[in-house]
Amino acid sequence: MTGTRRTFSALCLALAVSAVATGSPLSVAAARAPTPALVDTPAAFARAMKAARAGDTIVLADGEWRDFQMLVVGQGQAGKPITVTAQTPGGVRMTGQSNLRMAGQYLVVSNLVFIDGHSPTGEVISFRRSRELRATDSRVTGIVVDGFNKPDRREADNWVALYGDHNRFDHSTLVGKTNAGTTLVVVRDEQQGLANHHRIDHNYFGHRPSLGSNGGETMRVGTSHDAASDSFTTVEFNWFERCDGEVEIISNKSGANIYRGNVFFESQGALTLRHGDGNLVEDNVFFGNNVPNTGGIRVINRNQTIRNNYLEGLAGTGFASALTVMYGVPNSPANRYVRVEKARIENNTIINARSIFLGAGMDDERSAAPFDSLLARNLIANTDGRDPVRVLGDMSGVAMSGNVQSPAGKTAKLAGLAPRDVSLSRGAGGLLIPADLDGVGARLDLRIVRKQDTGAAWYPKAVAKVAFNSGRSSAVEPGDDTLTAALAAAGPGDQLVLAPGVYVVNRILTVADTVSIVGPKAATQTATILFNRPTLFELGRGGSLKISRLSISGELAPDSAGNAVIRTAAGAANYRLIIEDCRIANLKVNRAFDVIAATKGTTADEIVLRGVMVDGVSGSVLAAHSETDDLGFYNVEVLEISRSTFTDINGPAIDLYRGGTDESTFGPRIVVSESTFRRVGARLSPPVAIALEGVQNARLTDNRFEEGGGVRFIRTVGAPVFRESGAILAGAPATWTNLTREQVAR
Ligand code: CA
């Protein structure tokens, strides 16, 4: 253990002083309160825990507790819990391979930080010790879990797992989960408890980047197996900020739960009533701020009530529409899609939504329309003039009454959806309020829970990405390994400015921070990088790279197969890679020499190529096809290529693959514009310059394909969108856009 540590007598004094400060008479407080035990080693903690009786408090000394698997086991009493807390809120840092398990009754754990490590088990905080020994009537409060991720992002764990019944998880901050598995889960079955009555409140669920696969839910309550029973869990007054893990922000999979008064801020995905009946969704506020894929509420199953919610600026569509009422499977098993029946969707306000899908997801299997349901007194207003309502199936089983749409929709010729021009003004609570619309839309006194009233008050909530060029700038002179030394010394946000000349790199350059490298501004001057290892840059965990105005040649690279200018190392997740105004050439020494090679298990938030000239490559410009297990993972969320020219590339210039059949992700998304593909993939059979498989959204504009391959777009899952315009084909085949996998032998 390291770090600051106060002595036991100093702690008693501190507690006494705080008792005085809060106005309690010291003598009375001292007489009633059992003595807190200050512990500073795991062994001392275990001894104190064993001796603890109802009403006792165990205090962990401030400092780093490394590789500490904390076991909180005991029998408290109502009003006299056994409490485990930190000497100072946030002063105890659980690092390395640490976790917390609890078993017993009336236990309270508070004010710990899990950071710089990961749990050695499948959970960081668990309300059970084993299958047999669980915690009930217990509380975890004021806990922080920050970036406490498994090294391999495909390896799943749950950060917080609730078992048993009548437990509370509150005022905690959970931020930066990048590996698979839920951020918080309620686990329930016959043994672990079905009637849970948990309360999950006032937590701050911070940024969770896209997982690039199913399994990135921020919260899940139950599983499909036991979804037919009621959990009675209440989720209220939490903030969900940029929870972008997958299409389900919350996946409800049990009955009789309440989602009330939560705020969903710029979160991609939707609160999804996936399985289970009789749930209540009310008083929630969704702010999308027009961020792509921000959604609202998706309705499936029976007896769901969705009322008095406020949804504004949601740009999502499909399963992430502001409101989605699904088609179901006739006589569906619980784990498919139980059809919507007896849903009450009332008094919601939906402003400037891109999409409201009524009767969504209809296909051969999902053929049962919503039934015996009500859509009443909702307000749909679009100051942007858009008509978001799409009726995709038979809505005759949904009674519509008293709804108002402003302005009138083009497609919505629905009785009970009255067109009317409504003026809106922003009220003191921050929500837009309609004038003269009594009884329509969300109640006027709806309030937003304040962000500062959620999470651990003592821990910062803004954990922003490091911006490129936000740190120091340093000059680098040409020569052998001058760049190697400069990069090793660079910190987050730093920029390396290369003077004209030749830079020889004799080691693989590991990028573990956000770093940018730029060449000379003058077009007549060049900074050229040569490298004699199989890879020039390797992006590791936490690494993001931007290179500008550089010339990179592979002429010194070793004569081995599978070289790459830029490669990702295991653990590279949610990285950014930007290449602009660069020239990359001579990647031909052996076969499969790529510009960018994405290693299995790694994922980019974005890869951008702007004004890049690539000439002479035996592999691909972007090889992102390593996820061949077809588990739904993929290597790139967003790919943007513009004003670039690719000449004499053996492989497809872009080779992007996303397998698996789940409908949980928004990506990959790709935009290619104003670029030329000359003699690219010409010797492949059939010739192909851009190979896209399982991509969800592709937009290709004003590209030129000469003397080589064209575009191949293979549809595998979901409802992928492919748009191409302005393509010029000169000696290249036409684009194939409607292929299924069966039609292409890969
Ligand atoms: Ca999911």
Side-chain angles (χ1 to χ4, degrees):
M1 249 191 61
T2 58
T4 55
R5 197 181 292 171
R6 285 194 276 175
T7 63
F8 182 57
S9 56
L11 175 75
C12 290
L13 181 62
L15 291 172
V17 167
S18 74
V20 170
T22 53
S24 337
L26 179 56
S27 56
V28 174
R32 282 188 193 156
T35 312
L38 180 73
V39 297
D40 61 3
T41 65
F45 170 80
R47 281 194 300 274
M49 193 75 249
K50 200 165 183 184
R53 298 292 173 260
D56 285 356
T57 295
I58 301 172
V59 179
L60 299 181
D62 284 353
E64 180 178 1
W65 291 69
R66 194 169 186 82
D67 300 333
F68 180 31
Q69 299 195 46
M70 184 193 283
L71 206 49
V72 174
V73 179
Q75 187 66 39
Q77 295 170 11
K80 287 178 73 180
I82 297 173
T83 301
V84 175
T85 191
Q87 190 172 359
T88 311
V92 170
R93 299 191 311 128
M94 307 279 286
T95 65
Q97 299 203 18
S98 295
N99 61 15
L100 162 65
R101 284 177 295 157
M102 301 163 71
Q105 200 176 13
Y106 296 107
L107 308 169
V108 176
V109 180
S110 66
N111 296 344
L112 310 175
V113 179
F114 289 84
I115 196 165
D116 295 335
H118 65 275
S119 171
T121 60
E123 290 153 356
V124 179
I125 296 169
S126 180
F127 283 75
R128 76 175 185 187
R129 177 185 188 174
S130 63
R131 282 194 68 80
E132 288 71 30
L133 300 173
R134 290 171 296 281
T136 62
D137 304 291
S138 293
R139 181 180 181 194
V140 172
T141 182
I143 295 285
V144 172
V145 184
D146 184 350
F148 209 65
N149 295 304
K150 299 269 191 201
D152 183 339
R153 52 182 286 278
R154 294 164 298 179
E155 196 185 332
D157 67 358
N158 302 304
W159 274 9
V160 179
L162 284 92
Y163 298 87
D165 57 85
H166 294 90
N167 291 315
R168 183 177 180 200
F169 183 81
D170 65 283
H171 292 89
S172 292
T173 296
L174 307 174
V175 62
K177 193 173 203 293
T178 55
N179 68 311
T182 61
T183 309
L184 182 149
V185 66
V186 174
V187 181
R188 53 193 304 280
D189 59 33
E190 287 278 352
Q191 185 184 24
Q192 304 304 313
L194 290 171
N196 305 114
H197 298 278
H198 297 317
R199 184 173 180 219
I200 300 158
D201 64 286
H202 294 92
N203 299 291
Y204 177 75
F205 293 91
H207 183 40
R208 173 155 195 187
S210 166
L211 178 63
S213 155
N214 190 13
E217 302 89 357
T218 294
M219 185 183 298
R220 176 161 57 75
V221 180
T223 55
S224 54
H225 187 270
D226 289 289
S229 57
D230 293 338
S231 172
F232 304 105
T233 290
T234 298
V235 178
E236 60 186 356
F237 308 122
N238 301 282
W239 262 71
F240 296 85
E241 182 160 353
R242 294 195 295 138
C243 293
D244 305 335
E246 62 144 277
V247 75
E248 297 171 309
I249 304 168
I250 295 178
S251 184
N252 180 78
K253 294 190 171 179
S254 47
N257 298 312
I258 297 173
Y259 298 91
R260 176 195 291 138
N262 302 287
V263 175
F264 297 84
F265 186 84
E266 296 183 4
S267 289
Q268 300 187 28
L271 194 177
T272 304
L273 300 176
R274 185 67 190 83
H275 300 304
D277 302 332
N279 297 286
L280 172 62
V281 179
E282 68 174 356
D283 298 351
N284 299 285
V285 174
F286 294 74
F287 280 123
N289 288 337
N290 292 310
V291 171
N293 306 314
T294 48
I297 302 159
R298 183 155 70 105
V299 185
I300 308 158
N301 306 287
R302 311 176 192 94
N303 298 309
Q304 313 285 31
T305 300
I306 292 92
R307 67 182 179 209
N308 203 48
N309 299 284
Y310 177 95
L311 309 96
E312 182 186 343
L314 300 173
T317 187
F319 287 3
S321 299
L323 174 66
T324 310
V325 179
M326 292 285 291
Y327 255 56
V329 175
N331 304 311
S332 173
N335 66 351
R336 287 302 301 152
Y337 278 84
V338 173
R339 84 152 153 179
V340 172
E341 187 178 334
K342 292 188 166 58
R344 299 182 69 89
I345 303 172
E346 305 171 303
N347 288 101
N348 301 288
T349 292
I350 306 178
I351 294 173
N352 290 340
R354 177 171 174 205
S355 298
I356 294 171
F357 276 18
L358 303 178
M362 184 170 42
D363 58 20
D364 290 347
E365 188 196 15
R366 288 183 294 232
S367 61
F371 175 70
D372 195 12
S373 294
L374 178 68
L375 199 68
R377 300 178 304 284
N378 298 286
L379 169 63
I380 299 167
N382 280 69
T383 57
D384 55 8
R386 184 190 284 269
D387 176 9
V389 179
R390 285 180 65 189
V391 178
L392 301 161
D394 175 10
M395 288 294 287
S396 62
V398 179
M400 308 269 291
S401 80
N403 302 289
V404 168
Q405 185 175 12
S406 169
K410 291 181 289 291
T411 57
K413 297 277 187 285
L414 295 167
L417 182 57
R420 180 168 162 187
D421 282 326
V422 175
S423 70
L424 299 163
S425 59
R426 203 167 291 277
L431 306 181
L432 288 167
I433 294 174
D436 306 323
L437 263 187
D438 285 352
V440 180
R443 63 185 166 87
L444 302 182
D445 62 347
L446 179 61
R447 289 286 174 270
I448 311 170
V449 62
R450 297 186 312 168
K451 187 161 141 181
Q452 64 261 40
D453 294 336
T454 66
W458 38 266
Y459 200 80
K461 293 190 173 63
V463 184
K465 278 183 187 173
V466 177
F468 286 114
N469 306 340
S470 62
R472 295 167 304 151
S473 183
S474 40
V476 185
E477 292 300 315
D480 265 37
D481 284 326
T482 53
L483 179 57
T484 314
L487 188 61
D494 285 1
Q495 181 183 39
L496 306 180
V497 182
L498 273 53
V502 176
Y503 297 76
V504 178
V505 174
N506 297 304
R507 300 163 70 167
I508 294 174
L509 302 177
T510 300
V511 180
D513 274 314
T514 298
V515 175
S516 57
I517 303 173
V518 302
K521 280 210 174 78
T524 51
Q525 297 178 323
T526 308
T528 300
I529 301 177
L530 307 174
F531 57 103
N532 54 31
R533 301 286 293 140
T535 296
L536 174 57
F537 294 107
E538 186 173 76
L539 269 59
R541 175 185 285 262
S544 280
L545 178 67
K546 179 178 179 181
I547 58 175
S548 310
R549 303 191 301 268
L550 300 177
S551 176
I552 297 172
S553 170
E555 64 196 72
L556 299 186
D559 181 6
S560 53
N563 292 345
V565 177
I566 301 165
R567 178 181 303 285
T568 53
N574 305 103
Y575 66 90
R576 292 156 287 158
L577 173 61
I578 299 175
I579 306 176
E580 59 181 19
D581 301 320
C582 288
R583 188 183 146 79
I584 299 168
N586 290 321
L587 312 186
K588 290 186 293 197
V589 61
N590 201 318
R591 66 195 165 78
F593 197 155
D594 300 320
V595 177
I596 305 163
T599 303
K600 191 170 182 172
T602 66
T603 180
D605 271 358
E606 59 172 355
I607 295 179
V608 178
L609 276 68
R610 221 178 270 137
V612 176
M613 292 181 64
V614 182
D615 194 347
V617 170
S618 64
S620 290
V621 175
L622 172 64
H625 51 70
S626 68
E627 298 293 353
T628 49
D629 294 341
D630 290 349
L631 297 175
F633 283 97
Y634 50 92
N635 296 125
V636 185
E637 186 70 25
V638 174
L639 171 67
E640 275 181 47
I641 296 178
S642 60
R643 297 184 290 103
S644 295
T645 301
F646 308 100
T647 307
D648 293 319
I649 316 287
N650 284 5
I654 304 164
D655 195 352
L656 189 48
Y657 178 85
R658 189 268 201 223
T661 55
D662 72 78
E663 299 168 279
S664 304
T665 60
F666 297 112
R669 288 173 277 160
I670 122 162
V671 178
V672 182
S673 64
E674 298 177 66
S675 294
T676 297
F677 299 80
R678 186 180 295 123
R679 294 186 296 278
V680 175
R683 277 169 291 184
L684 298 172
S685 177
V688 57
I690 300 178
L692 307 176
E693 179 161 354
V695 167
Q696 292 300 293
N697 196 307
R699 200 169 77 235
L700 278 61
T701 52
D702 301 327
N703 300 300
R704 187 176 171 89
F705 298 89
E706 297 176 8
E707 303 167 49
V711 179
R712 189 175 70 195
F713 185 83
I714 300 175
R715 295 165 190 273
T716 57
V717 66
V721 174
F722 180 91
R723 282 174 292 173
E724 184 174 37
S725 64
I728 296 170
L729 301 173
T735 299
W736 301 281
T737 62
N738 280 304
L739 297 173
T740 60
R741 182 177 299 181
E742 291 68 34
Q743 292 169 299
V744 181
R746 192 182 163 82

